Structure formats: structure tokens, C-alpha cells
Amino acid sequence: MAKYYDVHPDNPQPRTISQIADAVRGGALIAYPTDSCYALGCKLGSKEGTDRIRAIRKLDDRHHFTLVCQDFAQLGQFVQIDNNVFRAIKASTPGSYTFILPATREVPRMLQHPKKKTVGVRIPDHTVTQALLAELGEPLLSSTLLLPGEDEPMTQGWQIKDELDHVLDGVLDSGECGTEPTTVVDFSDGEAQIVRYGAGDASRFE
């Protein structure tokens, strides 16, 4: 059964955020709100967590998981970025974008695309997510909470608790969040390729 965390959207309660971070460190799989929509998240490097996300979403091994990072300094530990790409991404973060980039050795092999050795990264513009990332001190391994057969991701904490209570360990609810997945931009070859149009303005990368 998933524990339900009611978190203030503008002033997240430190004690609650600390409890959630401790749960993640202990192996919990959570659903949490972002500036785009809800996401599934677990501890970086947790094989059990990634397996559970794959099972919930029915994903194959070609799916790009996303490292949700607190800031640019943290993001830079996990991906390789040249100067041109650096400027383009820096100008767009924090925000509703996911960037696919070559992974560094800091990224567990199981999270990398099996052929391309790439990984998705993003820096969300969301107060509660940022508070959790600051408390964790490392990225959350994440994937959009989009269930098989559905066209739109889940956006309501109570609904997620109701439907996924048996497969999650925790649900964060801070009220309204985004309703669209992120815009995904692939920079793995040095040039911007838009993989998915979503909440972030894609025109700057076209």
C-alpha cells in the first residue's frame, strides 16, 4: 500500500520532504508531481526500482529513463555536454524539457540506452520536486507516469493513489501540476532533434 504525502505546493514541509527522501533512499518507488506531469521515481542505481517502473509502464530495454536533477552542476556529472549544447540547454532550464545526451561513467549501465550509451536528463521548474532533490542530494531516476494504453499521463495525486496503490510505495500530492509530458530533445549527435513535442516550447530547438 502506498503512503500518501500531502505536501504544500509553495512551502513544502521539511519534515515530510525528509520522510520521502528517506523512503527513496530505502528503495521506495514513488509517484511525484513535476512542472510537466506526474512521474515515477526511485533511487539512482536501483535495479528493483527500474524493473518496477518497466513493469508498471510495460517498457522495453530501449526506453530512455530520465535522471531528474536539482541543478546544472548535478546534471553535468552524468552527461557529456559540448559548448554549443551547453548554451542551448542552460537557456532552457529549469523547465519542461528532457534532453538525451551521452552518459558519463557515473550513470549505471542498466539506465543507458543499450546501443547509444545515452540517458535522458532534466531539471524541473517545480518547488516540491526541487525540495525533494535538494534533500536527496542526488538525481531521481524517473519516467513519466503514463500507463499502457493511455494517451495522457496521470495528473491527480488522489487518482494515482487509488489506481496504483498496490504497486507504489508513496504518492506525493501538492495539488495542481502540469498536464503534458516534457518536450524531449536528443542532443546525442551534437545537433538538436525533437523526439517528442510536449510542455516545453520546442521552437527554440527547431
Side-chain angles (χ1 to χ4, degrees):
M1 182 178 289
K3 186 166 183 179
Y4 187 78
Y5 300 94
D6 189 6
V7 184
H8 193 282
D10 301 315
N11 299 291
Q13 305 93 312
R15 187 164 174 266
T16 304
I17 293 296
S18 180
Q19 289 174 349
I20 299 165
D22 285 344
V24 170
R25 291 188 193 103
L29 175 62
I30 62 170
Y32 68 99
T34 75
D35 51 340
S36 60
C37 55
Y38 262 85
L40 296 168
C42 66
K43 180 179 171 60
L44 179 65
S46 170
K47 184 178 187 306
E48 182 188 357
T50 56
D51 287 346
R52 290 171 68 187
I53 292 173
R54 287 188 201 279
I56 291 168
R57 292 201 53 202
K58 292 185 165 47
L59 301 171
D60 61 27
D61 64 359
R62 292 170 295 177
H63 176 76
H64 270 106
F65 281 95
T66 299
L67 303 182
V68 177
C69 301
Q70 181 186 358
D71 52 30
F72 215 88
Q74 191 178 74
L75 181 148
Q77 298 174 36
F78 297 94
V79 290
Q80 301 169 35
I81 313 177
D82 67 26
N83 287 338
N84 289 336
V85 173
F86 175 90
R87 283 192 290 271
I89 294 178
K90 183 77 170 172
S92 307
T93 55
S96 299
Y97 299 92
T98 298
F99 301 102
I100 297 173
L101 291 158
T104 67
R105 292 180 180 178
E106 297 293 321
V107 178
R109 187 174 294 275
M110 66 181 177
L111 303 184
Q112 300 176 27
H113 187 283
K115 291 183 178 177
K116 296 182 178 180
K117 308 304 181 197
T118 50
V119 71
V121 288
R122 70 170 299 225
I123 302 171
D125 187 12
H126 191 276
T127 301
V128 173
T129 311
Q130 281 289 342
L132 177 56
L133 292 168
E135 180 68 24
L136 267 178
E138 65 178 22
L140 267 171
L141 168 64
S142 294
S143 183
T144 301
L145 183 36
L146 181 63
L147 296 179
E150 297 292 329
D151 295 325
E152 296 182 354
M154 301 183 80
T155 59
Q156 300 291 333
W158 61 267
Q159 180 189 17
I160 294 165
K161 164 74 170 161
D162 196 43
E163 289 192 30
L164 299 178
D165 198 34
H166 59 297
V167 293
L168 295 176
D169 301 309
V171 177
L172 280 70
D173 193 344
S174 60
E176 295 297 317
C177 73
T179 57
E180 277 189 282
T182 56
T183 293
V184 180
V185 185
D186 188 340
F187 272 113
S188 56
D189 295 324
E191 298 291 330
Q193 288 186 306
I194 298 171
V195 177
R196 179 179 72 195
Y197 289 86
D201 179 8
S203 62
R204 64 179 64 190
F205 299 107
E206 291 177 321

